[in-house]
Amino acid sequence: MMVTGSALHPGPAPRPADDELRLAAVDRYQILDTPPEGTFDKVAALAARIFRTPAAAITTADGYHLGTVNVLDTHPRQVTAEHLQNLAALVMGQLAMRLSAVRTVTAERQMRTAAERLARTLLPPAPPQVPGLRAAVAYHAASADEVGGDFSDLFPLDDGRWAFFLGDVCGRGAEAAALTSLTRCTLRAAALYDPDPCAVLANLDTVLKDEYQGTDPRRCTAVFGILEPAEDGSFTLAGGGHPSASAVRADGTIQPLPVTGGQLIGLLPEPRFTQTSTHLAPGDALLLYTDGLTEARTPSGPMLQEEGLAAHLAAGTRDDADDPVAGIRRLLDHLGTGVNDDTALLALSVPIHPPAPAQETR
């Protein structure tokens, strides 16, 4: 037993000079006020067997003493320092493994939280009100843990027209998120500079090549479109390596819009982009989607593909004339786990019955 102070002035034992650092190490290892752990119980049992004592206990490697390994007996005995050092090393090894596991779990939680926050910033906002049209967007995330690279946007230009785009960058995770952010900003800026759809995609191609020059190429697919004033109902689309857009007609006809001839953006020395135009009448809709939809597995096994999507759209045309995305949402729910990739949707439709103008109040 250690006795400190004096007979006349007893006092507490002095604190070691490094006690604050020791306590900080104890806190870092997260070993105070924790429930019993089986690993340390086994170490205590091993200590009792080695020293042939009735009981042993652990009361808790930066060079600080974090706690003690106690072996308890009913009579005095001699023990070797080597045995005690081996037990201490065993306990510290377990503490180090435990700390590593805690840090790993904490880091995964932080990464998951960061990914969720980043995903929310990349998701399409509620679409703006386009005169004479109804706009709808949807995003289906295949994984809650990883950020995908699907994106869409809809915004007005200075001359009364509207621009919109939808696309998919290659990859997942933080790199895909950074590329998605760059792609969206570039498409918006390029549309303000020169809104010709093919020129916009060409500008994006140049930016991606300049940004990632000397590294692995970063590529994406996209459809970019210009909507003339809503009264006209005319659209001009350009595509770069992206699935076809679809014009969903009021009579149930599904018209693929051939923008699939365009090549991947950001990859080839001189890519070619294709352009097409269409007109929407009342009850018609324009639907853009990423390949997570058509590559989804149906309950019977094969992929949905464009033919299956067209059949689904044709069957639900009357019910979803004013909101074609509603039918796609039901389809995604029906496909369930067959959807193994993120899916972005953008639909622009001309209502059959336009909303009545607001009545003036007197």
Side-chain angles (χ1 to χ4, degrees):
M1 176 181 294
M2 180 179 292
V3 180
T4 60
S6 67
L8 295 178
H9 302 285
R15 295 179 63 184
D18 64 353
D19 199 44
E20 290 187 1
L21 296 176
R22 184 188 70 83
L23 291 175
V26 171
D27 182 66
R28 184 166 59 256
Y29 277 90
Q30 302 182 34
I31 48 181
L32 289 180
D33 300 322
T34 58
E37 298 192 29
T39 300
F40 296 136
D41 290 342
K42 292 177 182 177
V43 172
L46 177 61
R49 287 197 299 271
I50 290 175
F51 295 105
R52 298 178 182 178
T53 61
I58 298 175
T59 62
T60 7
D62 295 336
Y64 304 114
H65 295 118
L66 304 184
T68 60
V69 178
N70 303 320
V71 287
L72 312 175
D73 204 348
T74 57
H75 60 276
R77 66 162 59 205
Q78 294 292 328
V79 297
T80 64
E82 182 181 359
H83 283 160
L84 291 176
Q85 290 170 355
N86 288 340
L87 281 174
L90 178 60
V91 173
M92 283 309 304
Q94 292 298 325
L95 286 174
M97 291 177 59
R98 181 183 183 278
L99 177 60
S100 177
V102 168
R103 286 177 171 173
T104 299
V105 171
T106 301
E108 289 178 349
R109 288 175 179 171
Q110 291 174 345
M111 291 178 61
R112 184 174 302 177
T113 300
E116 290 173 351
R117 291 176 179 173
L118 183 57
R120 285 194 293 269
T121 66
L122 296 177
L123 292 179
Q129 295 293 324
V130 182
L133 288 178
R134 177 174 285 119
V137 295
Y139 191 93
H140 176 86
S143 170
D145 301 329
E146 242 185 341
V147 181
D150 296 25
F151 58 89
S152 66
D153 206 352
L154 170 66
F155 53 97
L157 300 176
D158 295 335
D159 57 5
R161 296 184 295 175
W162 287 75
F164 58 93
F165 58 79
L166 178 140
D168 183 6
V169 306
C170 295
R172 299 185 66 82
E175 290 187 0
L179 179 57
T180 298
S181 180
L182 173 63
T183 300
R184 291 180 63 175
C185 292
T186 301
L187 287 172
R188 270 187 169 253
L192 296 176
Y193 173 72
D194 181 358
D196 176 77
C198 283
V200 169
L201 296 184
N203 278 324
L204 173 61
D205 179 77
T206 299
V207 168
L208 293 185
K209 290 175 181 175
D210 289 344
E211 183 69 19
Y212 296 99
Q213 186 175 12
T215 63
D216 291 337
R218 298 295 188 267
R219 57 194 184 275
C220 72
T221 69
V223 174
F224 180 90
I226 294 293
L227 163 64
E228 299 296 332
E231 294 78 12
D232 181 74
S234 296
F235 294 81
T236 301
L237 305 172
H242 201 79
S244 294
S246 294
V248 185
R249 303 301 180 183
D251 62 0
T253 303
I254 308 300
Q255 178 189 356
L257 301 177
V259 294
T260 52
Q263 296 173 328
L264 279 174
I265 303 168
L267 181 64
L268 302 175
E270 296 182 3
R272 179 185 69 255
F273 305 119
T274 57
Q275 184 168 307
T276 189
S277 298
T278 190
H279 179 274
L280 297 184
D284 293 347
L286 176 69
L287 177 66
L288 299 107
Y289 53 88
T290 55
D291 58 8
L293 178 60
T294 50
E295 293 179 359
R297 294 284 178 181
T298 63
S300 58
M303 290 185 179
L304 180 67
Q305 299 187 339
E306 292 188 2
E307 294 79 5
L309 175 61
H312 177 85
L313 292 174
T317 298
R318 292 187 178 181
D319 295 335
D320 302 314
D322 284 346
D323 185 8
V325 170
I328 302 297
R329 291 195 188 99
R330 291 195 298 271
L331 175 60
L332 288 171
D333 292 339
H334 174 68
L335 294 172
T337 57
V339 185
N340 53 21
D341 193 7
D342 290 5
T343 302
L345 305 168
L346 171 62
L348 300 170
S349 57
V350 181
I352 297 176
H353 305 292
Q359 298 294 325
E360 295 185 1
T361 58
R362 298 182 180 178

